[in-house]
Amino acid sequence: MVGFVASLLSGCLSAPEQTTVASALPAPPKAGHASVNIGRPFGFNTSVFALPIEVDGKRLMSLPPGQYTTVDLPPGPHNVSSPDEYWTRVISGTPHPAQFTVEAGKSYYLLPKSWSEDGGYRYTMVGASVVPEKTGINHSTFSVQVTGANDAPPAEFRQLSFAKPQ
């Protein structure tokens, strides 16, 4: 009986297997396109929830922390963002699109960028006392780094696992 309970507990404690994730460095872009690599490294302000990603207003995938994905895009202007929805604002703040123009043969690396602005004060009554609390409004976007097709990716990408777009 003890062995049965121990095997049940060990099964509960093991991490689920992820079949769509494999460690690899980003591949160079296919001919006539640019490679856009979107990463979510772990950090003190990284949510544990997957972040929805859109490219040119179309859903690409929900990207978990610690992973990156790649999409090949034709030359021209593009934008990468998260949808401006309640859940996205909870995860990473008010989203702002990263707008950039891609050139064929280049690799683009996007990493989350966030900032806060003063939202004013909120007041709470505690008994007969008024307690002010300074509030802030969080915002998010992606920083864009450009490299040649054969240049090494930014260091942050070497710590991420590849996730295939769904």
Coordinates of all heavy atoms in Angstrom, one line a residue, residues 44-46 91-94 111-117 137-143:
F44 N 12.3 38.9 -13.0 CA 11.5 39.2 -11.8 C 10.1 39.7 -12.1 O 9.2 39.5 -11.3 CB 12.2 40.2 -10.9 CG 12.1 41.6 -11.5 CD1 11.1 42.5 -11.1 CD2 13.1 42.1 -12.4 CE1 11.1 43.8 -11.6 CE2 13.0 43.3 -12.9 CZ 12.0 44.2 -12.5
N45 N 9.8 40.2 -13.3 CA 8.5 40.7 -13.6 C 7.8 39.8 -14.7 O 6.9 40.2 -15.3 CB 8.6 42.1 -14.1 CG 9.4 42.3 -15.3 OD1 10.1 41.4 -15.7 ND2 9.4 43.5 -15.9
T46 N 8.3 38.6 -14.9 CA 7.7 37.7 -16.0 C 6.6 36.9 -15.3 O 6.8 36.2 -14.4 CB 8.8 36.8 -16.5 OG1 9.9 37.5 -17.1 CG2 8.2 35.9 -17.6
I91 N -1.4 40.1 -17.2 CA -0.1 39.3 -17.3 C 1.1 40.3 -17.5 O 2.1 40.1 -16.8 CB -0.2 38.4 -18.5 CG1 -1.2 37.3 -18.3 CG2 1.2 37.8 -18.8 CD1 -1.4 36.4 -19.5
S92 N 0.9 41.3 -18.3 CA 2.1 42.1 -18.7 C 1.9 43.6 -18.8 O 2.8 44.3 -19.1 CB 2.7 41.6 -20.0 OG 1.8 41.9 -21.0
G93 N 0.7 44.1 -18.4 CA 0.4 45.5 -18.5 C -0.2 45.9 -19.9 O -0.5 45.0 -20.7
T94 N -0.5 47.1 -20.1 CA -1.2 47.6 -21.3 C -0.2 47.4 -22.5 O 0.9 47.9 -22.5 CB -1.5 49.1 -21.2 OG1 -2.4 49.3 -20.1 CG2 -2.2 49.6 -22.5
L111 N 12.4 41.0 -27.5 CA 12.3 40.6 -26.1 C 11.4 41.6 -25.4 O 11.2 42.7 -25.8 CB 13.7 40.7 -25.4 CG 14.7 39.7 -25.9 CD1 16.1 40.1 -25.5 CD2 14.4 38.3 -25.4
P112 N 10.7 41.1 -24.3 CA 9.7 41.9 -23.6 C 10.4 43.2 -23.0 O 11.5 43.1 -22.5 CB 9.2 41.0 -22.5 CG 9.5 39.7 -22.9 CD 10.8 39.7 -23.8
K113 N 9.6 44.2 -23.0 CA 10.1 45.5 -22.4 C 8.9 46.0 -21.7 O 7.8 46.0 -22.2 CB 10.5 46.4 -23.5 CG 10.9 47.8 -23.1 CD 11.3 48.7 -24.3 CE 11.5 50.1 -23.9 NZ 11.8 50.9 -25.0
S114 N 9.1 46.5 -20.5 CA 8.0 47.0 -19.7 C 8.4 48.3 -19.0 O 9.5 48.5 -18.7 CB 7.4 46.0 -18.7 OG 8.4 45.7 -17.8
W115 N 7.4 49.1 -18.6 CA 7.6 50.3 -17.9 C 6.3 50.7 -17.2 O 5.2 50.2 -17.5 CB 8.1 51.5 -18.8 CG 7.0 52.0 -19.8 CD1 6.2 53.0 -19.6 CD2 6.7 51.4 -21.1 NE1 5.4 53.2 -20.7 CE2 5.7 52.2 -21.6 CE3 7.2 50.3 -21.8 CZ2 5.2 52.0 -22.9 CZ3 6.7 50.1 -23.0 CH2 5.7 50.9 -23.6
S116 N 6.4 51.6 -16.2 CA 5.2 52.0 -15.5 C 5.2 53.5 -15.5 O 6.2 54.2 -15.7 CB 5.3 51.6 -14.0 OG 5.2 50.2 -13.9
E117 N 4.0 54.1 -15.5 CA 3.8 55.5 -15.4 C 2.9 55.8 -14.2 O 2.2 54.9 -13.7 CB 3.2 56.1 -16.6 CG 1.8 55.7 -16.9 CD 1.3 56.3 -18.2 OE1 2.0 56.9 -19.0 OE2 0.1 56.2 -18.5
I137 N 0.5 52.6 -13.6 CA 0.0 51.9 -14.7 C 1.1 51.2 -15.5 O 2.0 51.9 -15.9 CB -0.8 52.8 -15.7 CG1 -1.9 53.5 -14.9 CG2 -1.3 52.1 -16.9 CD1 -2.6 54.6 -15.6
N138 N 1.0 49.9 -15.6 CA 2.1 49.1 -16.3 C 1.8 49.1 -17.8 O 0.7 49.0 -18.2 CB 2.2 47.7 -15.7 CG 2.6 47.7 -14.3 OD1 3.4 48.5 -13.9 ND2 2.1 46.8 -13.5
H139 N 2.9 49.1 -18.6 CA 2.8 49.0 -20.0 C 3.9 48.0 -20.5 O 4.8 47.7 -19.8 CB 3.2 50.4 -20.6 CG 2.2 51.5 -20.3 ND1 1.1 51.7 -21.0 CD2 2.2 52.4 -19.3 CE1 0.5 52.7 -20.5 NE2 1.1 53.1 -19.4
S140 N 3.6 47.4 -21.7 CA 4.6 46.5 -22.2 C 4.6 46.6 -23.7 O 3.7 47.0 -24.4 CB 4.1 45.0 -21.8 OG 2.9 44.7 -22.4
T141 N 5.8 46.2 -24.3 CA 6.0 46.1 -25.7 C 7.2 45.1 -25.9 O 7.5 44.4 -25.0 CB 6.3 47.5 -26.3 OG1 6.3 47.3 -27.7 CG2 7.6 48.0 -25.9
F142 N 7.8 45.1 -27.0 CA 9.0 44.3 -27.3 C 10.1 45.2 -27.8 O 9.8 46.1 -28.6 CB 8.7 43.2 -28.4 CG 7.7 42.2 -27.9 CD1 6.3 42.3 -28.2 CD2 8.1 41.1 -27.2 CE1 5.4 41.4 -27.7 CE2 7.2 40.1 -26.8 CZ 5.9 40.3 -27.1
S143 N 11.3 45.0 -27.3 CA 12.5 45.7 -27.8 C 12.9 44.9 -29.1 O 12.7 43.6 -29.1 CB 13.6 45.8 -26.8 OG 14.0 44.5 -26.5

